[in-house]
């Protein structure tokens, strides 16, 4: 029903499996997940990472994160990977087939751990870039000294 539908997403289907369609360009998957969990929703978020075409799904039951999967991962690892995707297309399907619960940690823990991992990857990339830049400067200086 429209009163319980999260802002910024539109209904995209009908029948027994109501779907909501949208794009995660300004809204991150973590924000959508938090909104649905806090409101006690049940269903499946099916997402496709537009940059790579990778696909995944997150399953909720009465606001509890119970399962996630991607092409190659399952459980918390899959959820952590998906939470690192930027521009995504998603479908929220209110009803989904039964799934085995592979996530037992609270959704807040899973989202925070994903954020920590994303920050760590960014830090490593920044440090690698600085080291490469420094090595390039050091190599140029070394060549200049050799020329003397």
């Amino acid at each position: 029903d429209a009163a319980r539908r999260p802002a910024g997403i539109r209904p995209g289907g009908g029948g027994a499996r109501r779907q909501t369609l949208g794009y995660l360009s300004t809204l991150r998957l973590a924000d959508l997940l938090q909104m649905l969990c806090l409101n006690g929703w049940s269903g499946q978020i099916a997402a496709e990472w537009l940059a790579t075409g990778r696909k995944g799904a997150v399953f909720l039951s009465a606001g509890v994160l119970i399962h996630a999967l991607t092409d190659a991962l399952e459980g918390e690892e899959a959820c952590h990977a998906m939470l690192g995707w930027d521009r995504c297309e998603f479908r929220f399907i209110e009803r989904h087939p039964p799934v085995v619960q592979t996530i037992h940690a609270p959704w807040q823990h899973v989202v925070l751990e994903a954020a920590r991992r994303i920050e760590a990857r960014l830090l490593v990339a920044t440090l690698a870039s600085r080291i490469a830049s420094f090595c390039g400067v050091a190599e140029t200086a070394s060549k200049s000294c050799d020329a003397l």
Side-chain angles (χ1 to χ4, degrees):
D1 90 331
R4 289 190 40 90
R5 185 177 309 122
I9 54 180
R10 59 185 169 74
R17 292 180 53 171
R18 290 186 14 198
Q19 297 184 26
T20 301
L21 307 173
Y23 291 93
L24 297 174
S25 59
T26 56
L27 178 68
R28 296 174 331 160
L29 182 57
D31 298 328
L32 178 62
L33 181 62
Q34 177 181 355
M35 187 170 38
L36 294 171
C37 286
L38 285 173
N39 285 291
W41 280 55
S42 294
Q44 172 189 354
I45 304 169
E48 180 178 351
W49 189 7
L50 297 177
T52 65
R54 287 185 63 196
K55 295 180 181 182
V58 175
F59 297 85
L60 309 173
S61 178
V64 175
L65 176 60
I66 59 170
H67 182 61
L69 58 92
T70 66
D71 300 333
L73 302 169
E74 188 173 291
E76 283 188 43
E77 293 300 318
C79 196
H80 293 154
M82 290 177 63
L83 289 168
W85 297 354
D86 45 12
R87 295 189 59 237
C88 294
E89 178 178 309
F90 74 91
R91 286 181 302 134
F92 179 73
I93 304 163
E94 289 188 46
R95 294 184 187 91
H96 60 79
V99 294
V100 174
Q101 184 168 359
T102 58
I103 300 176
H104 300 280
W107 67 265
Q108 299 93 328
H109 172 81
V110 175
V111 169
L112 287 173
E113 176 61 17
R116 186 195 67 74
R117 290 178 181 202
I118 292 165
E119 188 173 316
R121 275 196 309 268
L122 290 173
L123 178 61
V124 167
T126 300
L127 289 174
S129 175
R130 288 184 181 169
I131 289 169
S133 177
F134 175 75
C135 288
V137 169
E139 183 177 322
T140 301
S142 174
K143 286 180 183 177
S144 296
C145 290
D146 290 344
L148 297 175

